[in-house]
């Protein structure tokens, strides 16, 4: 992350960036987090591939994803949050979100888009994912977003249950056919 970046005030939420809870803390993502985020993304993709063979990762997919995550840490309209173990500062989860604008033919206004969220298996069911989401939601509110949207892998039932517990409901469904 560009260290000169002035972070905007956050809406109230349970965790402020850098605050500790239940053995972990949340903080802003940094460019130096690329390798850790890439490793977690690789684990997420392996999980999705085990659930649905249509998840195919390009040979250079991880390196491209790392570059993407690093670019997101520098963008004013995106945010990368890292959850890390309070004891050893090792990243245990992350979320990437960005503010997007509706196309002219849709209802006007900005919305928050969460492209990825992941928590390593040993830390699941400890509130890490919820804390990452709540911080991202609070940031979207400060950016005057009217909604939050994301894609989920329908075969990932744990993910579906998590997002429903966070209050999200189905809106559109992405359909697919291989050619």
């Amino acid at each position: 992350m560009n260290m000169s970046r002035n972070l905007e005030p956050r809406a109230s939420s349970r965790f402020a960036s850098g605050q500790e809870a239940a053995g972990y803390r949340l903080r802003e993502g940094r460019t130096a987090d690329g390798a850790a985020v890439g490793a977690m993304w690789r684990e997420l993709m392996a999980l999705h591939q085990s659930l649905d063979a249509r998840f195919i990762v390009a040979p250079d997919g991880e390196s491209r994803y790392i570059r993407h995550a690093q670019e997101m840490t520098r963008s004013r309209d995106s945010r990368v949050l890292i959850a890390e173990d309070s004891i050893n500062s090792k990243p245990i989860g992350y979320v990437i979100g960005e503010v997007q604008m509706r196309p002219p033919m849709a209802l006007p206004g900005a919305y928050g888009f969460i492209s990825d969220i992941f928590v390593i298996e040993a830390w699941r069911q400890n509130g890490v994912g919820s804390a990452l989401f709540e911080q991202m939601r609070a940031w979207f509110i400060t950016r005057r977003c009217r909604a939050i949207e994301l894609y989920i892998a329908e075969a990932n039932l744990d993910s579906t249950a998590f997002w429903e517990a966070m209050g999200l409901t189905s809106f559109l469904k992405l359909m697919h056919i291989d050619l």
Side-chain angles (χ1 to χ4, degrees), residues 6-140:
N6 183 17
L7 298 176
E8 298 173 31
R10 311 246 190 296
S12 64
S13 79
R14 192 168 140 199
F15 301 103
S17 186
Q19 185 174 351
E20 293 191 32
Y24 66 91
R25 64 180 156 256
L26 303 183
R27 63 168 174 78
E28 296 292 333
R30 300 184 285 259
T31 304
D33 293 318
V37 169
M40 288 186 280
W41 177 81
R42 184 177 353 105
E43 191 175 333
L44 175 60
M45 290 299 97
L47 170 64
H48 283 159
Q49 287 173 326
S50 74
L51 297 171
D52 188 330
R54 292 176 291 183
F55 280 94
I56 301 169
V57 176
D60 64 344
E62 185 175 346
S63 63
R64 294 176 80 180
Y65 187 80
I66 289 169
R67 281 192 303 277
H68 166 71
Q70 290 171 330
E71 289 169 6
M72 298 293 271
T73 65
R74 294 186 292 265
S75 171
R76 180 189 179 322
D77 292 324
S78 62
R79 190 169 193 212
V80 177
L81 292 173
I82 301 291
E84 63 183 20
D85 185 314
S86 297
I87 296 170
N88 62 20
S89 298
K90 179 181 177 192
I92 59 170
Y94 75 100
V95 63
I96 298 177
E98 67 181 309
V99 176
Q100 297 185 352
M101 296 302 292
R102 297 260 181 236
M105 65 288 230
L107 288 174
Y111 67 99
F113 181 76
I114 295 177
S115 62
D116 295 285
I117 187 169
F118 182 77
V119 175
I120 64 172
E121 190 169 2
W123 281 89
R124 292 180 194 154
Q125 303 296 316
N126 286 302
V128 178
S130 299
L132 287 165
F133 173 71
E134 289 302 331
Q135 274 295 302
M136 189 62 71
R137 179 202 314 246
W139 182 72
F140 286 145

